[in-house]
């Protein structure tokens, strides 16, 4: 397909911890798959990450590692734009403009804000509150048609659409109103020992709950083996089997099977055999990514090159939309 006819995709991930299997199955895996059919822009949202206190040296290191992980997961810098949010100042500028069109009421209803404000009650800062407005700026700057994210971001996407509509109703056609692209099986991977909560890279004190993309095979096998054991003995989806349902989702998100096919694979099998098979599937998917990551991380010059080139491309794209928004609200030309 010709570049100009392709639709645009934008997505981002915070360098707030080591990337998890949830991040991979909910987002990263799809990002790589969509590259041939869309113009893709993938961001490392370090400005979002500082809404929670970070160690500066660690944040810088994690941002670089996350960029390396994007590449290891198959995102190709020749096809897609990969960059750090803080390298493109248009994000902060558009976020300020949009802040003046976002209401306290709607931001107060965001569940991620309510959760994080509860968990970090010593630091409920304005950035945490305005987080979804910055996210809207990210997406709208690139005229994204589609935004591949996990289920937890659906509400933020709705807010972004509302802001775009509100702005366009006042000033004409400035923004493209984006749609969420949420996968079927991988959209909400749950914590292994507490499958009522989502698997989170930075908000879980128990490492046993989270599979990190760089976990060694034996660690992955152990974490899955120790995951919650539901009542009963059949391997199938059921509301009273949240642990088994979660493992079935992980299995399917990797191999692309339907719910029925996955249940059939384990017909008559015991939980123990099932867990071993899921672990094998996860290890099989992550091993090549880990190997590529190790290779790429050694090539510092290559990574530096990707960073420099991509930021430049992103800046050019973002400036165009920012200029339209500046003009729309009545700022003098510069
Ligand atoms: P944190 O836990 O640090 O708040 P996070 O792990 O939720 O962050 P983000 O960097 O905010 O991750 O999100 C990156 C992408 O991963 C988003 O598209 C998000 O929807 C997706 N994602 C995060 N956790 C999961 C999960 N458990 N299952 C599926 N997708 C997920
Ligand atoms: N809030 C998102 C991360 C994020 C994002 C974006 C995702 C920031 N800006 C733009 C998609 C598009 C999260 O996953 N927690």
């Amino acid at each position: 397909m010709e570049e100009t006819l392709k639709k645009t995709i934008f997505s981002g991930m915070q360098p707030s911890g080591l990337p998890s299997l949830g991040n991979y199955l909910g987002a990263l895996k799809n990002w790589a798959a969509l590259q041939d059919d869309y113009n893709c822009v993938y961001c490392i949202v370090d400005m979002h990450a500082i809404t929670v206190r970070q160690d500066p040296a660690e944040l810088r290191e994690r941002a670089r590692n996350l960029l390396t992980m994007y590449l290891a997961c198959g995102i190709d810098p020749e096809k897609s734009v990969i960059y750090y949010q803080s390298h493109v100042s248009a994000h902060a500028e558009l976020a300020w403009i949009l802040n003046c069109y976002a209401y306290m009421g709607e931001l107060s209803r965001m569940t991620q804000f309510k959760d994080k404000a509860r968990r970090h009650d010593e630091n409920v800062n304005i950035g945490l509150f305005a987080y979804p407005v910055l996210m809207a700026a990210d997406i709208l700057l690139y005229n994204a048609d589609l935004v591949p994210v996990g289920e937890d971001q659906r509400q933020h996407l709705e807010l972004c659409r509302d802001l775009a509509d509100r702005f366009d109703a006042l000033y004409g056609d400035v923004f493209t109103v984006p749609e969420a692209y949420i996968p079927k099986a991988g959209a909400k991977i749950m914590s292994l020992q507490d499958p009522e909560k989502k698997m989170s890279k930075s908000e879980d004190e128990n490492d046993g709950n989270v599979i990190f993309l760089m976990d060694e095979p034996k660690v992955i096998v152990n974490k899955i083996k120790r995951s919650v054991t539901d009542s009963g003995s059949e391997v199938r989806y059921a509301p009273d089997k949240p642990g088994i349902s979660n493992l079935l989702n992980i299995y399917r998100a990797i191999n692309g099977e339907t719910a029925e096919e996955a249940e059939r694979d384990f017909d008559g099998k015991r939980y123990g055999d099932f867990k071993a098979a899921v672990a094998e599937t996860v290890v099989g998917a992550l091993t090549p990514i880990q190997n590529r990551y190790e290779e790429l991380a050694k090539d510092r010059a290559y990574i530096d090159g990707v960073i420099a080139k991509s930021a430049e491309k992103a800046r050019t794209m973002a400036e165009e939309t920012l200029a339209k928004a500046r003009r729309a609200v009545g700022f003098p030309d510069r």
Side-chain angles (χ1 to χ4, degrees), residues 47-48 50-52 99 102-114 116-117 120 123-136 156 159 163:
M47 289 160 67
H48 278 101
I50 63 163
T51 57
V52 169
N99 272 333
Y103 301 123
M104 299 288 289
E106 60 192 351
L107 291 180
S108 310
R109 284 195 293 277
M110 295 291 122
T111 45
Q112 184 177 301
F113 169 70
K114 290 192 273 186
K116 293 220 173 181
H120 303 274
N123 181 22
V124 185
N125 61 71
I126 306 294
L128 193 63
F129 188 67
Y131 178 114
V133 182
L134 177 58
M135 175 163 164
H156 289 162
L159 182 91
L163 286 175

Side-chain angles (χ1 to χ4, degrees), residues 11-28 31 45 48 52 54 66 70 112 116 119-120 131 135 147-154 181 183 185-191 197-204 246:
S11 200
M13 204 170 276
Q14 303 181 73
S16 52
L18 304 165
S20 72
L21 186 65
N23 296 140
Y24 178 66
L25 297 179
L28 269 174
W31 296 5
V45 294
H48 278 101
V52 169
Q54 305 287 344
L66 187 56
Y70 283 11
Q112 184 177 301
K116 293 220 173 181
R119 235 170 293 131
H120 303 274
Y131 178 114
M135 175 163 164
V147 183
V149 282
E151 181 61 42
D152 62 327
Q153 297 303 311
R154 193 188 286 278
Y181 179 103
K188 195 162 190 199
I189 302 301
M190 308 308 276
S191 157
K197 35 177 232 218
K198 86 159 193 173
M199 183 181 281
S200 162
K201 69 165 125 55
S202 72
E203 301 284 355
D204 209 314
N246 188 37

Side-chain angles (χ1 to χ4, degrees), residues 40 63 116 120 130 192 201 210 219 243 257 265 304:
C40 298
K116 293 220 173 181
H120 303 274
L192 293 175
K201 69 165 125 55
V210 186
V219 174
E257 288 188 4
D265 286 351
D304 290 342

Side-chain angles (χ1 to χ4, degrees), residues 252-269:
R252 282 177 54 206
I254 293 172
N255 66 17
E257 288 188 4
T258 63
E260 295 71 34
E261 285 166 342
E263 285 178 335
R264 211 175 309 131
D265 286 351
F266 300 103
D267 202 18
K269 297 264 166 57

